[in-house]
């Protein structure tokens, strides 16, 4: 295991490994790691000689200062967890200054409209922040492969678009959502839930599963209305949005078209903690 805090030291190490013909898999994270992150790390380890995990709470992708400040951070615990699955893992844990050198701002990206929908609509500038950090990490690490979770499905689509548009020499892989026993999608933010919220968190996934069943016979509008109604009745969770969209373009599914894949997306507040989840509908 090795931890690097600077671009230069990491680059030098990776250059040596690349010159020896080793393939490099990158897993970008914001730390506070859980089994969801580890599933990406395991996939990277299965497909590459070298696994790099970046741990960086990227300020430019937060539209909410409080969310940024409260974001859990524990490099020591993260390091332990990572070495338990990949003993010779390479960790890149830079400070903000190392990445943004004096100018903590995002570049502006065109993701073919993906950036204005759902998360982009409710978190202004979020995907410019994501594009900025992921592009910078790709430049620093120059990985052969990079791994992202379907938990952030819209982000995965945005990154595929980033790679295509900028012709970046990296293969992007999507990995399935890991869930807690009750179905709640694993998330670093789950640590901030109360015991009761976390216990009841399965409600979100159960609602998505029923939405999936209903989508077989009902229209997207009917399913959306049904979900909205379920959350109105729930004392712990407040629905921010529920969207049924084309799985590739993320355009709202007003009418179902044969041979298209659809997904349901949801953002929910439990107190001041914002949770997202999604499910394939067909
Ligand atoms: P984050 O640290 O939240 O930025 O997440 C880092 C990566 O882990 C992203 O690609 C996420 O989509 C992925 N990830 C987070 N939670 C999960 C999960 N429950 N299952 C699978 N992947 C996840």
């Amino acid at each position: 295991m090795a931890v690097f805090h600077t671009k230069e030291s990491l680059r030098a190490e990776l250059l040596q490994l690349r010159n020896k013909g080793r393939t490099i898999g990158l897993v970008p994270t914001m730390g506070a790691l859980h089994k969801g992150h580890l599933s990406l790390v395991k996939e990277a380890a299965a497909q590459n000689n070298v696994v790099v995990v970046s741990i960086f709470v990227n300020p430019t992708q937060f539209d909410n200062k409080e969310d940024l400040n409260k974001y859990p951070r524990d490099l020591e615990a993260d390091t332990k967890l990572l070495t338990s699955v990949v003993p010779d893992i390479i960790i890149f844990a830079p400070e903000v200054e190392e990445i943004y050198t004096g100018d903590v701002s995002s570049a502006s990206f065109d993701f073919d409209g993906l950036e204005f929908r759902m998360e982009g609509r409710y978190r202004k500038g979020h995907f410019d922040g994501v594009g900025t950090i992921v592009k910078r990490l790709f430049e620093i690490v120059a990985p052969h492969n990079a791994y992202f979770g379907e938990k952030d499905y819209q982000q995965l689509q945005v990154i595929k678009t980033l790679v295509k548009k900028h012709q970046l020499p990296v293969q992007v892989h999507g990995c399935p959502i890991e869930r807690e026993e009750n179905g709640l999608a694993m998330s670093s933010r789950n640590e901030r839930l109360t015991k009761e919220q976390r216990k009841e968190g399965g409600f979100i996934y159960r609602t998505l599963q029923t939405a999936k069943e209903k989508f077989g016979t009902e229209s997207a509008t009917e399913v959306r209305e049904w979900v909205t109604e379920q959350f109105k009745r729930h004392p712990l969770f407040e629905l921010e949005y529920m969207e049924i969209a084309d799985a590739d373009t993320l355009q709202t599914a007003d009418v179902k078209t044969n041979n298209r894949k659809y997904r349901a997306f949801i953002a929910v507040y439990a107190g001041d903690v914002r949770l997202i989840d999604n499910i394939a509908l067909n």
Side-chain angles (χ1 to χ4, degrees):
M1 182 274 290
V3 183
F4 295 89
H5 297 285
T6 68
K7 296 175 289 225
E8 290 326 310
S9 56
L10 177 70
R11 270 203 189 108
E13 172 73 11
L14 292 178
L15 184 64
Q16 281 196 21
L17 292 166
R18 215 174 289 111
N19 285 343
K20 286 185 198 158
R22 307 275 156 85
T23 55
I24 299 167
L26 170 66
V27 181
T29 82
M30 298 204 296
L33 302 180
H34 49 69
K35 282 190 196 149
H37 297 112
L38 294 188
S39 70
L40 273 57
V41 170
K42 284 178 191 163
E43 188 70 9
Q47 297 179 3
N48 300 272
N49 306 124
V50 177
V51 181
V52 179
V53 174
S54 60
I55 297 181
F56 180 65
V57 183
N58 174 38
T60 63
Q61 73 188 69
F62 284 79
D63 64 329
N64 179 335
K65 255 218 144 67
E66 201 178 319
D67 189 25
L68 171 62
N69 292 336
K70 284 188 178 168
Y71 203 86
R73 294 162 168 91
D74 189 344
L75 182 58
E76 209 181 303
D78 289 346
T79 306
K80 251 194 191 154
L81 211 53
L82 288 171
T83 47
S84 73
V85 282
V86 181
D88 59 352
I89 198 137
I90 293 180
I91 298 169
F92 180 45
E95 294 293 330
V96 172
E97 179 61 21
E98 180 68 14
I99 296 293
Y100 285 101
T101 36
D103 180 18
V104 186
S105 65
S106 302
S108 185
F109 291 91
D110 171 2
F111 295 122
D112 293 340
L114 285 177
E115 69 274 33
F116 302 123
R117 313 191 45 70
M118 300 189 286
E119 290 303 286
R121 182 163 158 220
Y122 287 92
R123 303 180 71 188
K124 292 274 175 264
H126 174 66
F127 288 117
D128 277 341
V130 168
T132 302
I133 184 60
V134 172
K135 189 158 178 283
R136 217 156 274 188
L137 287 171
F138 284 173
E139 284 158 5
I140 296 166
V141 176
H144 300 83
N145 297 291
Y147 299 81
F148 296 87
E150 288 183 346
K151 159 84 181 359
D152 301 278
Y153 188 90
Q154 187 176 8
Q155 169 174 279
L156 175 62
Q157 296 304 103
V158 158
I159 288 160
K160 284 181 180 167
T161 307
L162 172 82
V163 164
K164 208 162 153 191
K165 286 204 157 191
H166 294 261
Q167 299 184 333
L168 307 177
V170 51
Q171 191 73 35
V172 172
H173 304 261
C175 304
I177 303 175
E178 292 288 320
R179 300 182 177 280
E180 299 193 358
E181 229 162 77
N182 66 4
L184 175 66
M186 288 189 176
S187 164
S188 306
R189 290 186 177 87
N190 292 357
E191 285 181 25
R192 293 184 45 221
L193 297 174
T194 64
K195 252 198 183 136
E196 194 191 7
Q197 288 167 339
R198 196 157 181 169
K199 193 163 147 255
E200 289 298 314
F203 173 79
I204 300 168
Y205 185 49
R206 284 200 304 278
T207 308
L208 284 178
Q209 284 177 308
T210 311
K212 176 179 179 152
E213 271 168 38
K214 285 182 170 288
F215 191 70
T217 53
E218 295 177 25
S219 72
T221 308
E222 284 168 324
V223 176
R224 257 197 306 266
E225 283 171 2
W226 178 83
V227 170
T228 306
E229 196 51 43
Q230 304 314 299
F231 277 94
K232 269 191 193 146
R233 289 192 206 146
H234 200 288
L236 293 181
F237 303 115
E238 195 184 324
L239 185 66
E240 183 171 54
Y241 68 75
M242 146 75 179
E243 180 76 281
I244 294 178
D246 184 291
D248 293 318
T249 64
L250 303 187
Q251 292 291 332
T252 302
D254 290 320
V255 283
K256 291 183 221 173
T257 309
N258 281 345
N259 305 324
R260 295 303 303 177
K261 294 264 179 242
Y262 295 102
R263 259 182 127 89
F265 299 85
I266 203 164
V268 171
Y269 274 96
D272 67 344
V273 182
R274 190 171 182 280
L275 303 170
I276 59 170
D277 201 349
N278 67 87
I279 192 171
L281 293 177
N282 60 341

